[in-house]
Amino acid sequence: MKKLVLIFALLFINLTIFSQTIRRVNNTPGLNDPAVYATAQDAHDAAVAGDIIQLEPSNDDNYGDLKVSKKISIIGIGYDLANTPNTFFDKRTPKLGNVYFENESANSSIMGVEVSSYIYVYDMNISITRCKIYYVYLNQSSTILNGTYPKATKVNISQNLINSVYCSGDDVGYNCNVSNNIFIGGGYISGLKNSVINNNVFNASSFVLNTTKGCVFSNNIIDARNASSTYKVINTDVTGTTVSNNLCTSVAGLPTGAGNVNSATAASVFKVTNPWAVSPFVDSNVELSATSPAKTVGVGSTAIGAFAGGTPYIPSGVPNTPVITTYINTGSGNSTTPLTVTISVRSSN
């Protein structure tokens, strides 16, 4: 077990310089380390505001549901690592079930984690980046804090592999950022207000935007190859939303003008002809082809989509921490025969 201590100490050495306590989560049998927790909830409950919860690979890779009620950072190692070269040497992916950002979780973050089901957000300034998620649900807390009900506002949802974002309530979903995500499975966004929705890719079969108000929707790619000939990207209940410099494949699903491009040839947009037909899904296949029409749709003839812009999508959600790509040891050692360990580490942006 000493090798695990060494590996993860090296992996997060850049975090410890800020004097934050790292709460390791690893349920490997025989670890027997009181500083390592078997579930994410145990690590959270032991943490204080500002701590980091680090999810590590282990034999049982599901660390259960997590209810967050303090400011913490949750960091994994990414997802679908076997699909992406030069990622962490241990390809087992630690997972969470449902994640709940509840009262007093404001300013918390989650990065590089596979969430098997939903992320529920009931407080403000939550950052969800580089995760694999089925559904993000924004709502208002049912519990009063300091005389008011906390609400999911100013939420950052970026660089994720995701299905949908849904906002419930008139006072929820203001001033959010939804950018550089890949929406799979007919994904959509519903109920956001005064928010920015840009540089996403949608595998669309129904409305992409529903009941949004006062938003900016730009630099997105909507792949409508499987939609009907009368398909529309924007539902009629969307109001006050600027729609510009987007591309829709196969059908005229976008409003005309404002730099929008309709009926692009779907097979010419991405690195592979149909990335949605590849099983298992490989996120890097959604990169633009060399001759993609999406390379010049943005303002100033710039590229659009998840891999464009200032915060491009990162394949497999590898977090911005050092990545140990190889680990080799001589087996065992003792007081006379040293244990030789060789590791390779690369930086990650």
Side-chain angles (χ1 to χ4, degrees), residues 77-85 87-88 90-93 316-318:
I77 62 171
Y79 49 86
D80 300 338
L81 297 176
N83 293 340
T84 303
T87 53
F88 198 70
D90 191 337
K91 304 302 182 185
R92 295 175 299 173
T93 302
S316 292
V318 178

Side-chain angles (χ1 to χ4, degrees), residues 298-315:
V299 174
S301 297
T302 54
I304 64 172
F307 288 88
T311 56
Y313 180 91
I314 303 298

Side-chain angles (χ1 to χ4, degrees), residues 20 26 133 136 180 218:
Q20 297 164 300
N26 192 319
I133 322 158
V136 175
N180 296 92
S218 63

Side-chain angles (χ1 to χ4, degrees), residues 114-158:
E114 181 170 342
V115 178
S116 301
S117 191
Y118 285 39
I119 293 181
Y120 297 88
V121 181
Y122 301 103
D123 212 335
M124 65 186 302
N125 290 324
I126 303 300
S127 179
I128 304 167
T129 60
R130 307 190 190 192
C131 292
K132 183 178 182 180
I133 322 158
Y134 173 63
Y135 205 93
V136 175
Y137 181 78
L138 309 183
N139 206 343
Q140 173 180 289
S141 173
S142 61
T143 306
I144 292 177
L145 178 67
N146 299 324
T148 188
Y149 293 97
K151 301 173 181 65
T153 59
K154 301 180 180 179
V155 179
N156 176 48
I157 304 169
S158 64

Side-chain angles (χ1 to χ4, degrees), residues 16 77 84 87 100 121 124 131-132 144 152-153 172 184-185 188 197 202 223 234-235 263-264 283 294 296 320:
T16 58
I77 62 171
T84 303
T87 53
Y100 305 82
V121 181
M124 65 186 302
C131 292
K132 183 178 182 180
I144 292 177
T153 59
V172 179
I184 60 176
Y188 64 89
I197 305 164
F202 296 87
D223 191 348
I234 314 297
N235 202 343
S263 303
D283 50 11
T296 57
N320 58 354

